[in-house]
Amino acid sequence: MEIRRIPVPEHLGVPAAREFEEAAGLLAAIERETWGDDDFALSAQELLAAARSTHLRRVAFGAWADGVLVGRSATVWDEDPGAESAEVHVVVDRAHRRRGIGRALLDAAERVALDVGKRALDSFSDHPIESLGAPGTGLRAPADTAGDAEIPADSVAAAFAAATGYALGQIERVSLLDTSGRAEELEAGLRPLEASAAAAGYRLVGWRDAAPDALVDAYAVAREHMSRDIPAGALQIDAERWDRARVRAWESELLGGGTTLLSCAVVDGSERVAGYTVLELPPGRPVAYQDDTIVLGPHRGHRLGLLLKLANLVALHGTAPERTRVHTWNADENAHMLRINLGLGFRPYGLSAVWERRV
């Protein structure tokens, strides 16, 4: 077996892109194996756009056995010199597991993180609803931060984490909303909420892809709050720095990968963004991903979170009615947002575990 860095090509579909495209194919195959569908199977185009990010650095390694790619790892970190955490991702083809390949790939990814000064390393594992055991038989996140979700204690991910020094820091609930035939219902639910928000001094602003230029600075302030205000479980989460330039770079990255962005914000009388939500529409798959949703602290209590989600779901139906599957991820301890999602009709789809090793 040989482990070496996977180069980022200038273009796809050329000989220099072969290894990058092989890695994209392996990642997509792992997602299909895990979830039984293509909902989370990113394309090489999406991965290439992410690899070109100007704020998040990514370094990937591949493991080759007899010329065949059998595993991949990656390190992702924020370029901000004050950030102390990094993500390390590892996947290995089913036929080549339990041979030490995952450990070797993790070592390569961790080395990159440590060399750039990161001291909290986060990794992830996914657990579809069908794989979960009876309540009381699994692993929970630390008691002072967790809800009641459990991942299987006998899972391969749990064993690998224990063997490599990672502890369970947080569990996220993965949920799915089917919007088929619900357009009129969603619009009817939106109207009274919008009227109530207007009476309290808020107005709703929606856009596709790039944020309106007049709003982008206030939008950046709200996005910076997202990293500071979200439930962190037992994880170390770095506060992100957002400004106009980072918003535009983030938009360009996703748009460059073929993703469409649908966003809504509520704005107060001083033209400050009181809250926002984002839906990502990836290319080639009839799904949407619920990205950030946040209402800033001083503006809570007006049902603005529900307003934002409903408004964006109505916009989704108008923009891409064929996308009737909406996925969302919420921290298990985020009871308020989980209640909103349940009220909208989201159903459990699985769990995602976040594991952390502090150096």
Side-chain angles (χ1 to χ4, degrees):
M1 184 189 67
E2 178 187 6
I3 290 181
R4 62 178 183 271
R5 187 164 170 175
I6 300 173
V8 178
E10 288 294 321
H11 307 284
L12 297 175
V14 297
R18 181 180 61 81
E19 291 185 352
F20 189 90
E21 292 171 346
E22 286 180 359
L26 174 62
L27 290 172
I30 296 293
E31 294 294 349
R32 295 186 194 103
E33 175 193 330
T34 301
W35 296 102
D37 55 45
D38 286 329
D39 285 4
F40 307 132
L42 301 183
S43 66
Q45 178 188 8
E46 293 168 274
L47 292 170
L48 180 58
R52 292 173 173 165
S53 170
T54 56
H55 288 85
L56 294 179
R57 283 290 306 279
R58 290 174 169 84
V59 172
F61 295 90
W64 279 266
D66 298 323
V68 177
L69 181 68
V70 298
R72 175 196 182 265
S73 66
T75 311
V76 184
W77 71 94
D78 195 315
E79 288 277 42
D80 186 334
E84 295 187 350
S85 63
E87 297 178 6
V88 289
H89 305 265
V90 181
V91 298
V92 177
D93 177 72
R94 175 190 285 272
H96 295 82
R97 292 171 190 164
R98 300 185 183 280
R99 294 169 52 186
I101 297 174
R103 178 73 72 103
L105 283 166
L106 179 63
D107 287 346
E110 287 184 334
R111 238 183 347 261
V112 170
L114 297 177
D115 285 347
V116 295
K118 305 308 174 186
R119 294 295 177 262
L121 310 180
D122 296 333
S123 195
F124 306 83
S125 63
D126 291 325
H127 307 268
I129 195 73
E130 298 82 6
S131 71
L132 305 182
T137 63
L139 297 177
R140 290 190 180 187
D144 56 341
T145 62
D148 58 2
E150 299 178 351
I151 64 165
D154 59 353
S155 65
V156 172
F160 186 70
T164 52
Y166 284 75
L168 182 59
Q170 189 178 52
I171 296 176
E172 292 187 335
R173 292 183 180 269
V174 186
S175 305
L176 174 66
L177 175 67
D178 184 351
T179 62
S180 302
R182 297 189 60 196
E184 291 184 3
E185 173 196 346
L186 294 171
E187 289 179 11
L190 173 62
R191 285 191 290 270
L193 287 171
E194 191 169 6
S196 175
Y202 299 99
R203 64 185 178 89
L204 190 65
V205 181
W207 65 88
R208 176 172 173 166
D209 295 336
D213 197 63
L215 195 65
V216 67
D217 292 316
Y219 179 47
V221 171
R223 290 199 67 98
E224 187 162 309
H225 273 276
M226 185 69 195
S227 65
R228 302 174 188 272
D229 296 352
I230 58 172
L235 304 173
Q236 175 179 316
I237 295 184
D238 296 313
E240 297 175 352
R241 300 177 190 272
W242 283 80
D243 56 15
R244 172 185 291 254
R246 182 160 185 169
V247 170
R248 293 306 187 211
W250 169 79
E251 292 168 341
S252 296
E253 174 189 322
L254 287 166
L255 298 176
T259 293
T260 297
L261 298 172
L262 290 181
S263 306
C264 281
V266 283
V267 180
D268 68 11
S270 300
E271 293 301 300
R272 291 171 297 201
V273 171
Y276 72 90
T277 190
V278 181
L279 283 170
E280 295 181 10
L281 282 57
R285 301 186 295 282
V287 298
Y289 305 145
Q290 175 65 68
D291 198 346
D292 293 353
T293 300
I294 186 173
V295 175
L296 278 61
H299 304 282
R300 293 173 185 167
H302 300 284
R303 305 188 75 194
L304 298 181
L306 179 58
L307 166 65
L308 286 165
K309 289 207 169 194
L310 273 173
N312 231 18
L313 289 172
V314 169
L316 174 64
H317 179 76
T319 302
E322 74 282 0
R323 294 181 185 257
T324 58
R325 292 167 63 83
V326 181
H327 289 282
T328 190
W329 293 257
N330 300 100
D332 182 40
E333 66 267 31
N334 193 350
H336 175 69
M337 194 58 70
L338 288 169
R339 280 195 300 271
I340 291 177
N341 288 341
L342 287 172
L344 287 170
F346 279 90
R347 61 176 176 81
Y349 195 68
L351 300 173
S352 183
V354 190
W355 308 86
E356 187 168 82
R357 181 167 84 87
R358 298 191 183 180
V359 183

